[in-house]
Amino acid sequence: MKSVLGILNMQEKNDLIRDLTAARAVEALPFAGRYRLLDFSLSSMVNSRITSVGVMLPDWSRSVLDHIRSGKDWDLARRRGGLAYLPASIDRSDSRVGDLKDLYFNLDYVEFGDKKYVLLANASFVYNIDFTNVLKFLQDNSGDIAIVYYTAKEDAAGKNVVLETSTNGIVTDIAEASSVKKDTKVAMGAYLMPVPTFAYIVRSTYERGGTDFLVDGIIRHAGEYKIMGYGHDGYVAHVDSTDAYYKANRDMLNPATWEELFMGSRTIYTRVKDEVPVQYKDTASVKNSLVANGCIIRGEVENSVIFRGVTVGKGAKVKDCILMQRADVQDGALLENVICDKNVIITKNKWLKGAKTYPYIVTKNIMI
Amino acid sequence: MKRTECLAMILAGGQGSRLKALTKTVAKPAVPFGGKYRIIDFPLSNCVNSGITTVGVLTQYRPFELHKYLGSGSAWDLDRNGGGVFVLPPYARENEQADWYSGTADAIGQNLNFIDLIDPDYVLILSGDHIYTMDYSWMLESHKMNKADATIGVFEVPWEEAPRFGIMATEKETGRITEFAEKPKEPKSNLASMGIYIFSKPFLKKYLEEDTQNPNSSHDFGKDLIPKMLNDGARLFSYAFDGYWKDVGTIESLWQANMDLLQDTPPFEINGDWKIYSSNPSMPPHYIGADAAVKRSMISEGAKILGEVDHSIIFQDVKIGKGAKVTNSVIFPSTVIEDGAVVDHAIIAQEVVIKAGAHVEGKEEEITVVAENEVVNA
């Protein structure tokens, strides 16, 4: 994998997840108690021994920059290669949206390096995959492009790219679908191809007015390439809506999923914060929950994901909730089906309740 | 280039033989503490938080795990240009055999070349086996204000315990030390030495050079150098510390210091601005199962708790099975306590397996210890 350049794409649309992404990219959303979404694709690259990664900065880039910084926590602060930030293009004469423009203006980074392949990965997916198998699969089948897909385990709403493959793995059809049926093959936003193929797609598509790498570059020209579909069996979640975010977080409460993603040999890395182990006090009662370091728990917590530095006061009850960093749930407060963004304060004895299918969202830095 | 005003030297070579099974494979400073730390994290973090960023760590006994743990020092923000962490094991000099550090003063004395290389104004000497949070910069200020040759950190101990410590008699107003007695039968004061010293560098160098030449010396700061300095009329001052301070040199004191963290309001702020840094494993938040019961405990990352945990400290990556019961205990990283096992008043070292249904039960006066990699059958 020394020959592969990773590019982290952070252009997920936020229409369906607005409340949580008012001031951050979808890819920078806090996830599973201590991570951010981009940790999964970035760590998978690093664990696949990719040592050069370009990070395409989203419009709201502060939380991404603050999280990744030098890349040291992913072992990407290197003398040679390592991490490179690819800023959004600033060509004022071009008002097109989409990722293609940014890829086009950063093509020199890809072409003038010493890498033979590009792995473009969309950082809004949760997975833990070994990309070395994808490269081998592409080489063994002499394909032009490899697309990594998973097979949907249930029906799901939301725009996704679906594929059909023949028995030998060749992609016979690829299209955008507004929802996904069980057992369909869904692209998980990771594409591997040789540098010249990548550069040709980006250049020729952009110069002909394209905006989206996948739709305009690959789907519209699918017939011109030998595209291979690589099936990934493990856990996959695409976080493109509040619903998907809430569900994926609660998927982590399944010990088998938790173990598959985090406890195997491929570590998911994230920015280290030096928090104290969780302090459970005399009155604490916790069931089926993930609790991150730095928390102090005196109340009841059930079916919830609790991020770093949260406090839950005496007599407070937290059920089916996602509480992001430093939420302060004071004595006697009651929360059910609630997502609290960072630095929220729920004062004494307040009750907040959302629905299972429609969690109530408390936005950043709010006091209730 | 920035000069180092104060160089810290941490004595981390001790075997810690009184910690028995816990120091079979690691030096005492590398023994786990408090759910995610190792003992040496405390002096290292104190240094960084006090603005002291050049630190020598003197290692000797079983050094490799400690060296690996320290790495470049980046976990403590001590990977600095022109400073940071220096690991100092014994080494051979020309015309001389390499020699083990034979006492605290000998350890520093053998590294005089290093101290000259850094060339600080002051040298702060610390132990690698105490749990406390302390701002050394105030102690350094007091050393400067007193125009002292040496300043010794002291804290008040109960009078009946004074005979176990090195005891300082001081002038009330100035804090100037008039007498020092190592483990006195009839103590004249209850101010005990914490084993923390600040010396002005030329003064320290002079005494170390003399001490090296003295065949009758046991090369110990408390036993040999401090009494000699006092005899010579040097300016030795005490610096009183009134926070939490614990020597965790024995199994009982190590267990007790861990339990102290579990009080509703711990005796020292471990969660505050004075961060204790540590080499962090990359692990997910811990998982507490649907039938688990957890209270009065500290639990770290990657742990999976399906049973009952009360009044215990659980390190990263520990697994506690269904129906298992862990009380009044400290469980080191990656240990597995299988379904239905019972652990009480115990310290269980790393990567131990307590088999399903097995019982490991100690008493408050006699904490049971299970050594690294052992398997305890039912």
Side-chain angles (χ1 to χ4, degrees):
Chain A
M1 295 297 276
K2 260 177 69 183
S3 62
V4 178
L5 171 70
I7 298 183
L8 218 51
N9 193 347
M10 302 211 210
Q11 305 275 346
E12 185 64 65
K13 294 187 180 63
N14 71 346
D15 326 15
L16 297 173
I17 194 164
R18 280 246 158 92
D19 290 334
L20 298 173
T21 54
R24 62 163 84 90
V26 174
E27 294 79 1
L29 269 172
F31 186 77
R34 70 173 294 199
Y35 302 94
R36 289 180 187 259
L37 284 179
L38 63 89
D39 291 338
F40 294 87
S41 37
L42 186 55
S43 299
S44 289
M45 286 180 176
V46 170
N47 289 331
S48 307
R49 295 192 297 283
I50 291 176
T51 54
S52 291
V53 178
V55 173
M56 286 171 63
L57 289 174
D59 292 345
W60 289 94
S61 56
R62 192 182 72 192
S63 52
V64 171
L65 289 166
D66 181 51
H67 183 66
I68 304 179
R69 298 184 301 169
S70 69
K72 189 169 191 351
D73 289 324
W74 293 263
D75 206 12
L76 283 174
R78 302 285 186 95
R79 290 252 179 238
R80 284 190 61 181
L83 190 87
Y85 286 110
L86 309 179
S89 77
I90 44 164
D91 185 350
R92 303 260 179 248
S93 63
D94 180 353
S95 57
R96 279 183 268 179
V97 293
D99 56 359
L100 198 59
K101 185 168 75 169
D102 295 346
L103 288 171
Y104 180 79
F105 283 99
N106 284 299
L107 257 187
D108 53 342
Y109 168 70
V110 181
E111 287 189 298
F112 293 131
D114 57 352
K115 304 299 179 199
K116 292 194 173 61
Y117 294 89
V118 175
L119 172 68
L120 180 67
N122 189 334
S124 58
F125 283 80
V126 176
Y127 53 68
N128 187 345
I129 184 175
D130 185 350
F131 286 118
T132 42
N133 297 329
V134 183
L135 179 63
K136 189 164 182 305
F137 174 77
L138 181 69
Q139 289 168 336
D140 288 353
N141 289 288
S142 336
D144 295 320
I145 301 170
I147 297 184
V148 187
Y149 70 84
Y150 67 102
T151 306
K153 293 196 168 61
E154 57 197 5
D155 294 0
K159 211 186 232 182
N160 273 292
V161 171
V162 298
L163 339 161
E164 281 172 35
T165 58
S166 64
T167 44
N168 53 8
I170 295 177
V171 174
T172 53
D173 194 17
I174 174 167
E176 267 194 302
S178 57
S179 68
V180 169
K181 290 257 177 302
K182 186 171 181 275
D183 294 330
T184 34
K185 292 168 179 162
V186 186
M188 45 193 262
Y191 318 98
L192 180 68
M193 66 206 83
V195 167
T197 311
F198 176 79
Y200 174 76
I201 292 175
V202 170
R203 195 167 280 127
S204 64
T205 315
Y206 178 77
E207 287 166 358
R208 284 169 184 75
T211 58
D212 190 275
F213 177 79
L214 180 63
V215 174
D216 302 321
I218 294 188
I219 298 183
R220 293 226 165 106
H221 300 275
E224 297 164 30
Y225 305 103
K226 183 179 177 187
I227 304 178
M228 303 302 301
Y230 177 90
H232 171 62
D233 291 332
Y235 177 86
V236 179
H238 184 198
V239 178
D240 56 354
S241 67
T242 306
D243 242 18
Y245 176 76
Y246 187 51
K247 181 177 178 301
N249 263 297
R250 290 190 315 149
D251 284 345
M252 300 303 118
L253 298 178
N254 177 347
T257 308
W258 178 81
E259 267 173 37
E260 180 209 320
L261 276 178
F262 300 113
M263 302 306 280
S265 57
R266 295 192 303 269
T267 305
I268 302 295
Y269 300 98
T270 189
R271 179 173 171 190
V272 161
K273 288 271 171 67
D274 291 288
E275 299 277 7
V276 181
V278 180
Q279 300 175 65
Y280 293 101
K281 301 299 185 182
D282 199 16
T283 46
S285 163
V286 181
K287 309 272 179 212
N288 191 38
S289 295
L290 283 189
V291 189
N293 277 3
C295 293
I296 302 178
I297 311 288
R298 295 175 196 275
E300 280 179 44
V301 178
E302 199 181 336
N303 306 333
S304 296
V305 177
I306 312 292
F307 282 72
R308 296 191 266 211
V310 168
T311 52
V312 177
K314 230 181 189 170
K317 276 189 191 178
V318 174
K319 199 169 169 251
D320 298 292
C321 290
I322 316 292
L323 306 184
M324 292 190 207
Q325 292 94 302
R326 290 180 297 284
D328 178 11
V329 181
Q330 300 183 350
D331 296 0
L334 223 125
L335 302 181
E336 197 174 333
N337 299 315
V338 173
I339 300 177
C340 289
D341 206 327
K342 286 166 79 170
N343 302 322
V344 158
I345 302 175
I346 312 289
T347 54
K348 280 185 181 175
N349 302 322
K350 293 288 182 302
W351 291 29
L352 283 182
K353 201 171 165 186
K356 258 226 164 72
T357 50
Y358 198 88
Y360 185 84
I361 295 174
V362 184
T363 51
K364 215 171 165 180
N365 305 330
I366 292 280
M367 177 155 94
I368 292 192
Chain B
M1 205 181 95
K2 276 186 296 183
R3 264 195 86 243
T4 296
E5 186 195 24
C6 182
L7 163 71
M9 299 286 271
I10 301 180
L11 299 160
Q15 177 176 355
S17 51
R18 288 173 303 158
L19 288 177
K20 297 169 209 160
L22 298 181
T23 49
K24 225 166 53 180
T25 60
V26 297
K28 179 156 65 166
V31 168
F33 179 82
K36 75 176 280 194
Y37 308 98
R38 296 189 188 234
I39 295 168
I40 198 168
D41 288 335
F42 287 81
L44 281 174
S45 301
N46 286 340
C47 283
V48 175
N49 290 334
S50 305
I52 296 170
T53 53
T54 308
V55 181
V57 180
L58 294 97
T59 64
Q60 171 160 287
Y61 172 78
R62 292 263 177 199
F64 299 124
E65 182 145 343
L66 193 54
H67 292 182
K68 178 171 174 249
Y69 184 69
L70 293 169
S72 66
S74 68
W76 302 270
D77 212 5
L78 282 173
D79 49 342
R80 300 297 180 96
N81 293 342
V85 163
F86 295 84
V87 175
L88 305 168
Y91 67 99
R93 283 143 293 178
E94 65 263 30
N95 311 326
E96 264 180 74
Q97 290 276 306
D99 219 345
W100 293 120
Y101 297 147
S102 62
T104 50
D106 182 51
I108 303 293
Q110 287 202 36
N111 285 289
L112 266 180
N113 285 344
F114 169 72
I115 295 173
D116 279 334
L117 181 74
I118 302 292
D119 196 25
D121 297 329
Y122 307 101
V123 181
L124 166 67
I125 293 171
L126 304 167
S127 293
D129 47 11
H130 298 155
I131 302 295
Y132 64 113
T133 54
M134 177 174 174
D135 191 340
Y136 304 131
S137 64
W138 292 107
M139 181 167 166
L140 184 59
E141 277 311 307
S142 130
H143 180 85
K144 287 188 218 166
M145 271 168 53
N146 288 329
K147 298 193 167 54
D149 295 317
T151 301
I152 303 178
V154 298
F155 79 116
E156 274 185 51
V157 293
W159 279 94
E160 65 272 19
E161 283 184 32
R164 288 175 41 221
F165 292 90
I167 293 295
M168 234 66 70
T170 59
E171 285 174 9
K172 259 230 152 54
E173 287 82 48
T174 59
R176 183 157 179 176
I177 299 168
T178 52
E179 220 182 307
F180 177 86
E182 187 73 28
K183 296 179 183 155
K185 284 202 178 70
E186 280 166 35
K188 287 188 180 157
S189 123
N190 65 338
L191 290 177
S193 167
M194 302 162 70
I196 298 175
Y197 311 97
I198 292 178
F199 294 102
S200 297
K201 188 208 146 194
F203 176 82
L204 175 68
K205 189 173 171 180
K206 172 170 164 272
Y207 274 87
L208 284 174
E209 280 170 346
E210 283 174 19
D211 184 68
T212 315
Q213 304 303 322
N214 181 358
N216 300 322
S217 170
S218 58
H219 309 299
D220 186 272
F221 279 105
K223 285 197 199 89
D224 308 291
L225 269 82
I226 303 294
K228 184 156 193 303
M229 289 167 180
L230 278 173
N231 243 340
D232 294 352
R235 294 176 63 80
L236 267 61
F237 285 80
S238 65
Y239 176 82
F241 174 74
D242 59 3
Y244 179 89
W245 181 89
K246 195 118 188 163
D247 181 337
V248 289
T250 65
I251 293 291
E252 272 68 27
S253 63
L254 179 68
W255 179 83
Q256 188 56 54
N258 273 286
M259 293 300 124
D260 287 345
L261 291 175
L262 299 178
Q263 293 167 21
D264 197 62
T265 312
F268 69 101
E269 179 77 89
I270 196 173
N271 213 357
D273 292 337
W274 199 267
K275 267 209 185 227
I276 304 302
Y277 298 94
S278 182
S279 186
N280 282 271
S282 293
M283 292 218 175
H286 61 250
Y287 174 73
I288 309 279
D291 304 315
V294 172
K295 59 178 178 179
R296 299 192 298 165
S297 295
M298 280 173 80
I299 303 184
S300 197
E301 296 156 335
K304 182 174 164 188
I305 314 291
L306 304 179
E308 192 183 322
V309 178
D310 184 14
H311 204 241
S312 295
I313 295 214
I314 313 291
F315 279 76
Q316 64 266 19
D317 194 30
V318 166
K319 306 281 176 277
I320 298 182
K322 277 189 184 145
K325 202 172 163 183
V326 177
T327 48
N328 307 308
S329 296
V330 183
I331 317 291
F332 287 0
S334 306
T335 279
V336 178
I337 296 171
E338 295 186 353
D339 295 356
V342 173
V343 177
D344 181 46
H345 284 102
I347 298 178
I348 315 286
Q350 297 95 306
E351 295 178 48
V352 167
V353 180
I354 311 284
K355 288 285 187 188
H359 284 234
V360 177
E361 288 164 299
K363 290 189 288 269
E364 188 160 351
E365 325 70 74
E366 205 187 332
I367 300 300
T368 298
V369 176
V370 178
E372 207 173 323
N373 292 317
E374 276 190 30
V375 176
V376 179
N377 291 301

PDB file of all heavy atoms in Angstrom, chain B residues 151-167:
ATOM      1  N   THR B 151      16.561  23.347  48.917  1.00  0.00           N
ATOM      2  CA  THR B 151      15.218  23.441  49.493  1.00  0.00           C
ATOM      3  C   THR B 151      14.625  22.042  49.478  1.00  0.00           C
ATOM      4  O   THR B 151      14.720  21.338  48.465  1.00  0.00           O
ATOM      5  CB  THR B 151      14.343  24.418  48.683  1.00  0.00           C
ATOM      6  OG1 THR B 151      14.965  25.701  48.692  1.00  0.00           O
ATOM      7  CG2 THR B 151      12.939  24.527  49.271  1.00  0.00           C
ATOM      8  N   ILE B 152      14.050  21.654  50.595  1.00  0.00           N
ATOM      9  CA  ILE B 152      13.527  20.291  50.713  1.00  0.00           C
ATOM     10  C   ILE B 152      12.018  20.351  50.919  1.00  0.00           C
ATOM     11  O   ILE B 152      11.535  21.079  51.791  1.00  0.00           O
ATOM     12  CB  ILE B 152      14.194  19.550  51.899  1.00  0.00           C
ATOM     13  CG1 ILE B 152      15.716  19.546  51.694  1.00  0.00           C
ATOM     14  CG2 ILE B 152      13.658  18.127  52.025  1.00  0.00           C
ATOM     15  CD1 ILE B 152      16.483  18.891  52.818  1.00  0.00           C
ATOM     16  N   GLY B 153      11.286  19.636  50.088  1.00  0.00           N
ATOM     17  CA  GLY B 153       9.834  19.564  50.243  1.00  0.00           C
ATOM     18  C   GLY B 153       9.481  18.762  51.481  1.00  0.00           C
ATOM     19  O   GLY B 153      10.005  17.662  51.671  1.00  0.00           O
ATOM     20  N   VAL B 154       8.621  19.320  52.340  1.00  0.00           N
ATOM     21  CA  VAL B 154       8.226  18.608  53.559  1.00  0.00           C
ATOM     22  C   VAL B 154       6.712  18.638  53.707  1.00  0.00           C
ATOM     23  O   VAL B 154       6.041  19.507  53.163  1.00  0.00           O
ATOM     24  CB  VAL B 154       8.846  19.243  54.827  1.00  0.00           C
ATOM     25  CG1 VAL B 154      10.350  19.181  54.776  1.00  0.00           C
ATOM     26  CG2 VAL B 154       8.359  20.662  55.025  1.00  0.00           C
ATOM     27  N   PHE B 155       6.208  17.666  54.398  1.00  0.00           N
ATOM     28  CA  PHE B 155       4.793  17.739  54.774  1.00  0.00           C
ATOM     29  C   PHE B 155       4.617  17.186  56.180  1.00  0.00           C
ATOM     30  O   PHE B 155       5.448  16.423  56.675  1.00  0.00           O
ATOM     31  CB  PHE B 155       3.912  17.032  53.740  1.00  0.00           C
ATOM     32  CG  PHE B 155       3.891  15.539  53.880  1.00  0.00           C
ATOM     33  CD1 PHE B 155       2.707  14.870  54.204  1.00  0.00           C
ATOM     34  CD2 PHE B 155       5.043  14.804  53.679  1.00  0.00           C
ATOM     35  CE1 PHE B 155       2.696  13.498  54.328  1.00  0.00           C
ATOM     36  CE2 PHE B 155       5.033  13.432  53.803  1.00  0.00           C
ATOM     37  CZ  PHE B 155       3.860  12.774  54.126  1.00  0.00           C
ATOM     38  N   GLU B 156       3.536  17.634  56.804  1.00  0.00           N
ATOM     39  CA  GLU B 156       3.286  17.238  58.195  1.00  0.00           C
ATOM     40  C   GLU B 156       2.730  15.835  58.252  1.00  0.00           C
ATOM     41  O   GLU B 156       1.778  15.514  57.558  1.00  0.00           O
ATOM     42  CB  GLU B 156       2.273  18.189  58.831  1.00  0.00           C
ATOM     43  CG  GLU B 156       2.898  19.425  59.419  1.00  0.00           C
ATOM     44  CD  GLU B 156       1.866  20.272  60.148  1.00  0.00           C
ATOM     45  OE1 GLU B 156       1.148  19.711  60.994  1.00  0.00           O
ATOM     46  OE2 GLU B 156       1.795  21.472  59.832  1.00  0.00           O
ATOM     47  N   VAL B 157       3.344  15.017  59.104  1.00  0.00           N
ATOM     48  CA  VAL B 157       2.798  13.673  59.319  1.00  0.00           C
ATOM     49  C   VAL B 157       2.314  13.600  60.764  1.00  0.00           C
ATOM     50  O   VAL B 157       2.764  14.381  61.609  1.00  0.00           O
ATOM     51  CB  VAL B 157       3.856  12.571  59.066  1.00  0.00           C
ATOM     52  CG1 VAL B 157       4.247  12.528  57.615  1.00  0.00           C
ATOM     53  CG2 VAL B 157       5.080  12.765  59.948  1.00  0.00           C
ATOM     54  N   PRO B 158       1.389  12.689  61.093  1.00  0.00           N
ATOM     55  CA  PRO B 158       0.989  12.508  62.485  1.00  0.00           C
ATOM     56  C   PRO B 158       2.227  12.165  63.320  1.00  0.00           C
ATOM     57  O   PRO B 158       3.097  11.418  62.858  1.00  0.00           O
ATOM     58  CB  PRO B 158       0.025  11.313  62.423  1.00  0.00           C
ATOM     59  CG  PRO B 158      -0.442  11.260  61.001  1.00  0.00           C
ATOM     60  CD  PRO B 158       0.683  11.788  60.180  1.00  0.00           C
ATOM     61  N   TRP B 159       2.297  12.732  64.531  1.00  0.00           N
ATOM     62  CA  TRP B 159       3.494  12.551  65.365  1.00  0.00           C
ATOM     63  C   TRP B 159       3.869  11.085  65.533  1.00  0.00           C
ATOM     64  O   TRP B 159       5.045  10.723  65.500  1.00  0.00           O
ATOM     65  CB  TRP B 159       3.278  13.192  66.740  1.00  0.00           C
ATOM     66  CG  TRP B 159       3.513  14.668  66.710  1.00  0.00           C
ATOM     67  CD1 TRP B 159       2.577  15.635  66.523  1.00  0.00           C
ATOM     68  CD2 TRP B 159       4.769  15.336  66.844  1.00  0.00           C
ATOM     69  NE1 TRP B 159       3.164  16.883  66.527  1.00  0.00           N
ATOM     70  CE2 TRP B 159       4.516  16.727  66.725  1.00  0.00           C
ATOM     71  CE3 TRP B 159       6.085  14.904  67.055  1.00  0.00           C
ATOM     72  CZ2 TRP B 159       5.529  17.673  66.797  1.00  0.00           C
ATOM     73  CZ3 TRP B 159       7.095  15.855  67.136  1.00  0.00           C
ATOM     74  CH2 TRP B 159       6.811  17.232  67.002  1.00  0.00           C
ATOM     75  N   GLU B 160       2.865  10.228  65.686  1.00  0.00           N
ATOM     76  CA  GLU B 160       3.192   8.820  65.952  1.00  0.00           C
ATOM     77  C   GLU B 160       3.815   8.139  64.733  1.00  0.00           C
ATOM     78  O   GLU B 160       4.504   7.130  64.858  1.00  0.00           O
ATOM     79  CB  GLU B 160       1.951   8.054  66.455  1.00  0.00           C
ATOM     80  CG  GLU B 160       0.804   7.921  65.473  1.00  0.00           C
ATOM     81  CD  GLU B 160      -0.180   9.104  65.539  1.00  0.00           C
ATOM     82  OE1 GLU B 160       0.191  10.176  66.073  1.00  0.00           O
ATOM     83  OE2 GLU B 160      -1.306   8.962  65.034  1.00  0.00           O
ATOM     84  N   GLU B 161       3.601   8.729  63.533  1.00  0.00           N
ATOM     85  CA  GLU B 161       4.212   8.130  62.347  1.00  0.00           C
ATOM     86  C   GLU B 161       5.585   8.702  62.027  1.00  0.00           C
ATOM     87  O   GLU B 161       6.314   8.174  61.175  1.00  0.00           O
ATOM     88  CB  GLU B 161       3.291   8.328  61.125  1.00  0.00           C
ATOM     89  CG  GLU B 161       2.101   7.378  61.119  1.00  0.00           C
ATOM     90  CD  GLU B 161       1.273   7.529  59.854  1.00  0.00           C
ATOM     91  OE1 GLU B 161       1.861   7.839  58.790  1.00  0.00           O
ATOM     92  OE2 GLU B 161       0.051   7.345  59.937  1.00  0.00           O
ATOM     93  N   ALA B 162       5.932   9.800  62.710  1.00  0.00           N
ATOM     94  CA  ALA B 162       7.176  10.511  62.393  1.00  0.00           C
ATOM     95  C   ALA B 162       8.421   9.615  62.410  1.00  0.00           C
ATOM     96  O   ALA B 162       9.310   9.784  61.571  1.00  0.00           O
ATOM     97  CB  ALA B 162       7.348  11.707  63.318  1.00  0.00           C
ATOM     98  N   PRO B 163       8.510   8.635  63.310  1.00  0.00           N
ATOM     99  CA  PRO B 163       9.724   7.800  63.327  1.00  0.00           C
ATOM    100  C   PRO B 163       9.946   6.989  62.044  1.00  0.00           C
ATOM    101  O   PRO B 163      11.020   6.420  61.857  1.00  0.00           O
ATOM    102  CB  PRO B 163       9.484   6.864  64.527  1.00  0.00           C
ATOM    103  CG  PRO B 163       8.536   7.603  65.398  1.00  0.00           C
ATOM    104  CD  PRO B 163       7.648   8.367  64.460  1.00  0.00           C
ATOM    105  N   ARG B 164       8.947   6.933  61.140  1.00  0.00           N
ATOM    106  CA  ARG B 164       9.148   6.189  59.893  1.00  0.00           C
ATOM    107  C   ARG B 164       9.788   7.036  58.797  1.00  0.00           C
ATOM    108  O   ARG B 164      10.120   6.537  57.725  1.00  0.00           O
ATOM    109  CB  ARG B 164       7.801   5.667  59.380  1.00  0.00           C
ATOM    110  CG  ARG B 164       7.212   4.520  60.204  1.00  0.00           C
ATOM    111  CD  ARG B 164       5.820   4.145  59.709  1.00  0.00           C
ATOM    112  NE  ARG B 164       5.751   4.150  58.258  1.00  0.00           N
ATOM    113  CZ  ARG B 164       4.711   4.627  57.577  1.00  0.00           C
ATOM    114  NH1 ARG B 164       3.671   5.126  58.190  1.00  0.00           N
ATOM    115  NH2 ARG B 164       4.722   4.582  56.257  1.00  0.00           N
ATOM    116  N   PHE B 165       9.908   8.362  59.048  1.00  0.00           N
ATOM    117  CA  PHE B 165      10.330   9.279  57.985  1.00  0.00           C
ATOM    118  C   PHE B 165      11.658   9.953  58.286  1.00  0.00           C
ATOM    119  O   PHE B 165      12.175   9.845  59.403  1.00  0.00           O
ATOM    120  CB  PHE B 165       9.264  10.365  57.798  1.00  0.00           C
ATOM    121  CG  PHE B 165       7.963   9.861  57.247  1.00  0.00           C
ATOM    122  CD1 PHE B 165       6.946   9.418  58.089  1.00  0.00           C
ATOM    123  CD2 PHE B 165       7.753   9.816  55.877  1.00  0.00           C
ATOM    124  CE1 PHE B 165       5.747   8.957  57.572  1.00  0.00           C
ATOM    125  CE2 PHE B 165       6.553   9.349  55.359  1.00  0.00           C
ATOM    126  CZ  PHE B 165       5.550   8.921  56.205  1.00  0.00           C
ATOM    127  N   GLY B 166      12.150  10.669  57.290  1.00  0.00           N
ATOM    128  CA  GLY B 166      13.265  11.585  57.516  1.00  0.00           C
ATOM    129  C   GLY B 166      12.656  12.874  58.052  1.00  0.00           C
ATOM    130  O   GLY B 166      11.837  13.498  57.382  1.00  0.00           O
ATOM    131  N   ILE B 167      13.044  13.254  59.277  1.00  0.00           N
ATOM    132  CA  ILE B 167      12.352  14.361  59.948  1.00  0.00           C
ATOM    133  C   ILE B 167      13.245  15.605  60.032  1.00  0.00           C
ATOM    134  O   ILE B 167      14.434  15.520  60.332  1.00  0.00           O
ATOM    135  CB  ILE B 167      11.894  13.918  61.365  1.00  0.00           C
ATOM    136  CG1 ILE B 167      10.813  12.839  61.250  1.00  0.00           C
ATOM    137  CG2 ILE B 167      11.393  15.092  62.187  1.00  0.00           C
ATOM    138  CD1 ILE B 167       9.516  13.277  60.624  1.00  0.00           C
TER     139      ILE B 167
END
